[in-house]
Amino acid sequence: EGGAVVTVELPVVEMEQWVEVKKAVETSGLNGAQLSGKKVLIVDDEKSIRETLQDILKREGFRVETARDGREALDIIEKEKFALIITDIKMPGYGGMDLYDSILQKHKYLKDKVIILTGDVFSHDVKDFLTKSGCPYMLKPFEPKKLLEMANKLLA
């Protein structure tokens, strides 16, 4: 008879907000020549975030590859050189922290070219990692303009 009520809350991005986001990105005037053609790898287990980032970065002139987790990202990094890695920190299996450790061991040139995306800065492991690694990070949901400024700074 009874039954359970499950409430799932998902962030809703209204059409108007997207228009604002797009406008901010289009008018940010960040596509200096130094970004054009630079290769960026986006690592996130959420398809919508990968696609959004890909759109934003492509519009700025970046060449973009995506990976679903750290393991897939490493396979790609083995084959290609990147100017920048933007990775989620918490992913099933091989997450952003594992990926960063592997970068330090095998791909040192990327050491200072990693931006962390995270919905969590409160758990000890994440806090410790961010402090130790010194990686710049952005909280989800992120502002595209701020992310682009951060990317700009690392690539300058």
Side-chain angles (χ1 to χ4, degrees):
E1 268 305 279
V5 175
V6 179
T7 307
V8 179
E9 289 188 18
L10 297 171
V12 176
V13 177
E14 301 291 342
M15 211 48 220
E16 297 87 77
Q17 282 175 289
W18 268 122
V19 172
E20 285 306 304
V21 165
K22 277 194 167 137
K23 229 189 301 184
V25 170
E26 282 158 12
T27 59
S28 61
L30 289 174
N31 34 354
Q34 81 260 32
L35 302 186
S36 208
K38 290 267 164 90
K39 269 168 68 176
V40 180
L41 179 61
I42 295 162
V43 190
D44 201 303
D45 55 319
E46 289 178 61
K47 187 170 186 248
S48 60
I49 290 179
R50 285 197 309 270
E51 288 175 350
T52 303
L53 280 170
Q54 192 169 17
D55 287 349
I56 291 166
L57 293 168
K58 274 191 168 160
R59 207 177 296 129
E60 291 292 319
F62 287 103
R63 298 191 353 248
V64 183
E65 294 275 331
T66 63
R68 285 184 299 269
D69 60 28
R71 183 77 60 209
E72 191 180 1
L74 275 182
D75 289 345
I76 296 171
I77 295 169
E78 293 290 334
K79 299 183 195 89
E80 303 175 53
K81 284 249 187 273
F82 288 89
L84 190 64
I85 310 287
I86 299 174
T87 182
D88 188 9
I89 202 164
K90 296 272 170 113
M91 294 175 279
Y94 206 81
M97 297 188 234
D98 298 320
L99 174 60
Y100 188 74
D101 288 342
S102 297
I103 283 173
L104 289 184
Q105 286 163 27
K106 298 183 185 156
H107 306 284
K108 280 203 170 50
Y109 78 97
L110 283 168
K111 175 180 159 345
D112 300 317
K113 304 293 182 201
V114 178
I115 294 176
I116 303 289
L117 291 178
T118 179
D120 164 28
V121 282
F122 304 108
S123 62
H124 285 302
D125 57 337
V126 172
K127 256 203 243 171
D128 290 349
F129 170 77
L130 292 172
T131 305
K132 254 205 309 261
S133 69
C135 286
Y137 65 92
M138 294 234 60
L139 280 180
K140 291 179 181 179
F142 56 88
E143 275 181 56
K145 194 166 181 245
K146 287 218 170 79
L147 183 68
L148 287 168
E149 284 167 4
M150 195 178 273
N152 231 359
K153 209 181 277 173
L154 288 190
L155 293 172

